[in-house]
Amino acid sequence: MVCWLPLKSALREVRLISQEIWSDVLGYVRKNITEVEYHTWFAPVKNLGVQDGSLVLGVRNSFAQEWFRKNYLKLLEDALRSLGAQNPQVSFQVLPAAQDALLLPSDPPPPPSLPAPRAAPTFTENRKVLNPKYTFENFVVGPNNNLAHAAALAVAESPGKAYNPLFIYGDVGLGKTHLMHAVGHYMLERFPGKRVEYVSTESFTNDLINAIRDDKMTQFRNRYRSVDLLLVDDIQFLAGKERTQEEFFHTFNALYESHKQIILSSDRPPKDIQTLEGRLRSRFEWGLITDIQSPEYETRVAILKMNAEHNRIDIPQEVLELIARQVTSNIRELEGALMRVVAFSSLNNVPFSRAVAAKALSNVFAPQEVKVEMMDVLRQVAAQFNMPPDVIRGSGRVREVVQARQVAQYLIRELTDHSLPEIGQFFGRDHSTVMHAISKVSEQMGKDSELTAAVELLRRRMKGQEDEDSDA
Ligand SMILES: Nc1ncnc2c1ncn2[C@@H]1O[C@H](COP(=O)(O)OP(=O)(O)OP(=O)(O)O)[C@@H](O)[C@H]1O
């Protein structure tokens, strides 16, 4: 049994004990949900420790945060109660992208409000701070980001020579960090001995404050000035921090003069960063300034497709297209929307369809009118009758197959605007066969209770109303 009360005391204790609690919590959770749910939702969660008596869990984005609050809060509280907590509290924090990268699952979480200990950078450590997912291979190039991508690739191929510094700016969640890490991976793959340092401006500032406080400025300077590639995220946060700007100026000069590559990211171009010293601004403009815009529809679909493939999720193209139409500006949210649809369909045990996706996203985005397509109906019928779509469309004469085919034709006629000849063509048959199928199913409805229930369930599903009987 894990003791809950002393958790609020010594921070180091908190860190160790809360890891133990977290393993027990996970064990409890795992017994109470399906494996798919567990892997979809709990595997990526980071235990951030205990703060003010509350277990703080880091989740990847606001979708996950909302999902946990709505669906798993009670389960988590029960888990803590089963471990002896009298008044269990759980809160969820969205991890910043960088922290997501830094806190790999095997890392113990840093205690709250204490800086994470840092050793001198080594090759393995370099690898650790770069998110393994953020590579060039995993970056979908589109008109919105092709210049930034080409510049990053050029820099990766000729560090310190092509463009120095490379300054990438753009709105949140559009791939700036991804591109920076990709350059780091590329360099380490080709030259494993090189030193790559990725840091957010906030961490740089904190390191500086700590170095000043602990009288360790020499170590601080050695650390930042001895790297081959310095990646600094969110450089706009230098604004108004004079001492940090001063130190960064000297770091920049030292690296630049020794032809070491610097890549900076920001939410705006250097000229729009207020209270940035002129000498820094002009340095930021020495190399290449490139932006990333919001992805257009085709790029969004391609990103979703790649994501689904990586996660081995077999999801129809039309569902990806629906998601890409809903989420238009932020790729992190686009990925979150996909996760949400996957979770929704697995939790409710329904196959992917546009209606299911629209339903899953309707709490977050304005509901969309979903036009049912023939393929949607075929897939749903196939799942319901437990046979592949191709078999239904094929020439088989087995009774079950014929019945599934007739139901599919009946529902397509009812739920879409397609004409009888169009439906016939879809099934490789003529319109009189479709007419026959429709009258056959109509005749059986009400008489054959199993068939009636199946058709009604399918009809509700296609209209995105499956929660009415499954409490989605
Ligand atoms: N072109 C792309 N291809 C594939 N994935 C992408 C692409 N652009 C962004 N992503 C993904 O979107 C998510 C957000 O990207 P990233 O963290 O790099 O954004 P950012 O611009 O640095 O955001 P912030 O300003 O919030 O730090 C990541 O999971 C990243 O892998």
Side-chain angles (χ1 to χ4, degrees):
M1 169 82 63
V2 181
C3 180
W4 178 253
L5 283 175
L7 294 177
K8 287 189 211 166
S9 53
L11 282 176
R12 291 234 157 254
E13 282 296 296
V14 164
R15 176 185 174 185
L16 295 172
I17 295 171
S18 66
Q19 261 313 92
E20 196 186 325
I21 285 188
W22 182 231
S23 307
D24 290 351
V25 168
L26 283 179
Y28 181 98
V29 165
R30 202 166 187 160
K31 280 193 213 127
N32 284 282
I33 59 176
T34 64
E35 275 299 288
V36 178
E37 252 182 284
Y38 181 81
H39 285 287
T40 308
W41 292 105
F42 283 83
V45 168
K46 310 276 189 291
N47 161 26
L48 298 180
V50 177
Q51 259 170 338
D52 300 324
S54 173
L55 177 66
V56 186
L57 301 180
V59 294
R60 274 200 266 190
N61 50 43
S62 49
F63 290 102
Q65 187 180 37
E66 198 213 317
W67 190 264
F68 268 93
R69 278 200 195 119
K70 237 169 120 180
N71 297 286
Y72 296 126
L73 186 59
K74 191 170 167 306
L75 179 63
L76 285 163
E77 286 170 351
D78 287 347
L80 290 172
R81 221 172 266 119
S82 79
L83 297 171
Q86 303 203 329
N87 179 23
Q89 287 172 44
V90 184
S91 57
F92 307 99
Q93 261 178 30
V94 176
L95 291 168
Q99 199 180 350
D100 196 3
L102 283 164
L103 285 174
L104 295 179
S106 55
D107 285 347
S113 75
L114 278 186
R118 260 188 177 277
T122 61
F123 167 59
T124 28
E125 213 170 283
N126 283 335
R127 279 294 185 169
K128 211 158 126 186
V129 297
L130 297 177
N131 188 327
K133 184 196 141 200
Y134 293 178
T135 59
F136 281 120
E137 294 78 48
N138 291 345
F139 191 84
V140 175
V141 184
N144 63 314
N145 59 23
N146 59 355
L147 290 179
H149 173 261
L153 206 52
V155 159
E157 271 162 5
S158 313
K161 294 191 187 108
Y163 310 109
N164 207 11
L166 174 62
F167 192 104
I168 307 173
Y169 74 92
D171 280 342
V172 286
L174 292 184
K176 303 182 292 293
T177 309
H178 188 137
L179 267 187
M180 290 210 277
H181 284 209
V183 177
H185 284 302
Y186 192 94
M187 185 185 237
L188 287 170
E189 252 155 44
R190 292 173 79 200
F191 308 105
K194 294 275 185 197
R195 298 173 78 164
V196 176
E197 183 82 32
Y198 164 75
V199 71
S200 66
T201 302
E202 206 188 346
S203 305
F204 183 86
T205 307
N206 288 340
D207 284 350
L208 176 64
I209 292 168
N210 292 336
I212 295 170
R213 186 194 60 199
D214 302 339
D215 206 12
K216 290 198 169 145
M217 278 309 288
T218 311
Q219 284 96 319
F220 175 87
R221 288 182 179 138
N222 285 345
R223 175 177 156 204
Y224 283 106
R225 295 182 195 181
S226 61
V227 301
D228 298 289
L229 172 62
L230 180 64
L231 311 167
V232 187
D233 226 340
D234 294 323
I235 200 77
Q236 74 274 8
F237 291 131
L238 273 188
K241 297 189 178 109
E242 284 154 33
R243 181 72 179 87
T244 313
Q245 288 191 24
E246 166 84 20
E247 196 54 43
F248 190 73
F249 174 76
H250 294 297
T251 305
F252 185 101
N253 287 345
L255 291 175
Y256 187 85
E257 277 156 23
S258 44
H259 306 288
K260 305 301 186 193
Q261 180 68 46
I262 302 159
I263 307 183
L264 308 169
S265 90
S266 166
D267 66 354
R268 65 201 82 169
K271 68 176 171 47
D272 293 343
I273 304 178
Q274 303 296 320
T275 61
L276 183 66
E277 276 186 49
R279 57 184 184 164
L280 264 183
R281 178 169 304 133
S282 75
R283 271 161 182 76
F284 292 172
E285 289 166 351
W286 277 353
L288 182 77
I289 301 174
T290 177
D291 69 332
I292 301 188
Q293 298 286 333
S294 295
E296 47 297 294
Y297 172 72
E298 288 76 12
T299 311
R300 297 200 299 276
V301 174
I303 290 172
L304 286 172
K305 203 165 180 169
M306 192 188 67
N307 243 282
E309 275 165 16
H310 277 187
N311 291 302
R312 298 202 186 84
I313 304 165
D314 190 11
I315 184 163
Q317 172 84 6
E318 65 264 21
V319 175
L320 299 180
E321 288 172 3
L322 181 130
I323 300 172
R325 284 214 171 81
Q326 286 276 28
V327 189
T328 53
S329 58
N330 179 328
I331 298 171
R332 197 174 293 121
E333 287 193 356
L334 189 70
E335 292 175 339
L338 174 63
M339 257 171 69
R340 201 183 167 91
V341 171
V342 171
F344 187 93
S345 99
S346 103
L347 295 181
N348 294 300
N349 204 18
V350 287
F352 294 118
S353 72
R354 290 158 74 252
V356 163
K359 188 85 186 161
L361 300 179
S362 63
N363 291 341
V364 190
F365 303 98
Q368 254 201 6
E369 194 50 48
V370 177
K371 206 167 143 246
V372 177
E373 304 286 356
M374 290 200 274
M375 203 55 183
D376 277 342
V377 181
L378 179 66
R379 279 211 185 87
Q380 292 286 348
V381 172
Q384 181 67 27
F385 284 78
N386 208 12
M387 59 185 76
D390 287 350
V391 170
I392 297 182
R393 270 169 105 183
S395 54
R397 301 294 314 155
V398 178
R399 202 181 77 85
E400 287 78 15
V401 175
V402 172
Q403 188 174 56
R405 188 180 300 136
Q406 289 174 339
V407 166
Q409 294 177 357
Y410 172 87
L411 283 171
I412 289 177
R413 181 64 178 152
E414 178 184 319
L415 299 172
T416 74
D417 296 332
H418 290 288
S419 63
L420 293 176
E422 282 168 343
I423 302 172
Q425 202 179 16
F426 183 69
F427 285 89
R429 287 159 169 87
D430 65 27
H431 77 280
S432 60
T433 315
V434 180
M435 266 171 68
H436 172 73
I438 293 169
S439 65
K440 190 86 206 234
V441 177
S442 309
E443 212 182 285
Q444 286 170 310
M445 287 292 282
K447 290 187 200 145
D448 179 337
S449 57
E450 211 176 307
L451 180 85
T452 310
V455 169
E456 279 169 2
L457 177 67
L458 281 162
R459 190 184 280 136
R460 278 202 299 280
R461 223 171 243 177
M462 297 310 306
K463 290 180 176 171
Q465 298 167 340
E466 60 282 320
D467 58 329
E468 281 166 21
D469 64 343
S470 64
D471 197 28

